[in-house]
Amino acid sequence: VANSEACTACAHGQYADTHGSGGCTHCPKGTELASLGASEKAACSQCAPGFYSSNAGSHKCEPCDSGSFQGDHGSSSCITCEAGSANAHQGSTSVNACKHCIAGQYAAAGAAVCSLCPGGTASAVIGATSVNTCTTVTAGFYAAEGATEGKPCAAGQYQQSPGSSQCSDCTAGKYNPVTGGATLLACLTCPKGHWCVAGAKAPSKCAAGSELD
């Protein structure tokens, strides 16, 4: 009795290299095969550098994700960028795509972008691997996000709390002639016959014939 079942072409990612085969064979990991009805294993093409296929029978290799790279042909996985570096691009073919974080930034392994040190902290380290590298600035200093070092509060200002991202102005009636004021006591009382606006660096004399209200 003749077999009533018709032969079916092998699907994408598969091949059959013998006549009368009872089934199709999956292409191995690290290869791809987009066409139907392949009759030999050689039809399974190795993934190009920057691409991978993690499963047997893949019809298409996938580009390496950001934060990784692959320089070899026929790969089933990609290599993660080391901590302290980042790669924002897909399909990278070299470790050189993983760029070291600049000072004021850090990254865990496999990062697409480096993260900024939080406000109130700073880091001069290149290629920092953790937020713990970002050290808290002391009182009298401030640091914006991504700072490489703390900056002293300007004259006319102060900051008494460590780990601050900005400084506070001395209130009206006070002044501070020096930088790096670390307590409210850095703001001096405006002397008699003078006036001081908020954030004053020095007292201003009242005009002749006038007095301070």
Side-chain angles (χ1 to χ4, degrees):
V1 178
N3 191 337
S4 61
E5 294 183 4
C7 295
T8 303
C10 291
H12 306 289
Q14 300 179 16
Y15 66 94
D17 54 4
T18 58
H19 293 289
S21 175
C24 299
T25 302
H26 286 83
C27 288
K29 296 178 181 180
T31 66
E32 65 180 357
L33 178 54
S35 60
L36 297 171
S39 60
E40 56 183 354
K41 186 178 180 179
C44 305
S45 301
Q46 287 189 336
C47 296
F51 289 77
Y52 73 104
S53 65
S54 58
N55 299 315
S58 295
H59 78 280
K60 183 180 181 181
C61 297
E62 300 293 332
C64 291
D65 290 333
S66 54
S68 67
F69 68 96
Q70 180 52 259
D72 294 333
H73 290 84
S75 297
S76 59
S77 63
C78 296
I79 302 170
T80 300
C81 290
E82 293 183 350
S85 65
N87 175 19
H89 305 289
Q90 293 185 326
S92 296
T93 61
S94 169
V95 67
N96 294 330
C98 305
K99 304 297 184 183
H100 283 109
C101 299
I102 63 173
Q105 302 182 2
Y106 65 95
V113 294
C114 297
S115 299
L116 298 175
C117 285
T121 68
S123 173
V125 177
I126 296 173
T129 61
S130 167
V131 68
N132 295 331
T133 310
C134 307
T135 56
T136 301
V137 297
T138 59
F141 287 74
Y142 73 99
E145 277 190 327
T148 59
E149 61 180 358
K151 294 183 178 180
C153 293
Q157 297 184 326
Y158 72 99
Q159 182 49 261
Q160 53 191 5
S161 300
S164 296
S165 58
Q166 58 185 5
C167 299
S168 300
D169 285 342
C170 293
T171 57
K174 303 276 186 177
Y175 74 100
N176 177 14
V178 298
T179 60
T183 70
L184 189 57
L185 297 177
C187 300
L188 308 175
T189 301
C190 211
K192 187 176 180 179
H194 295 71
W195 57 280
C196 298
V197 297
K201 301 176 183 178
S204 299
K205 287 185 178 182
C206 294
S210 65
E211 64 178 0
L212 190 65
D213 291 334

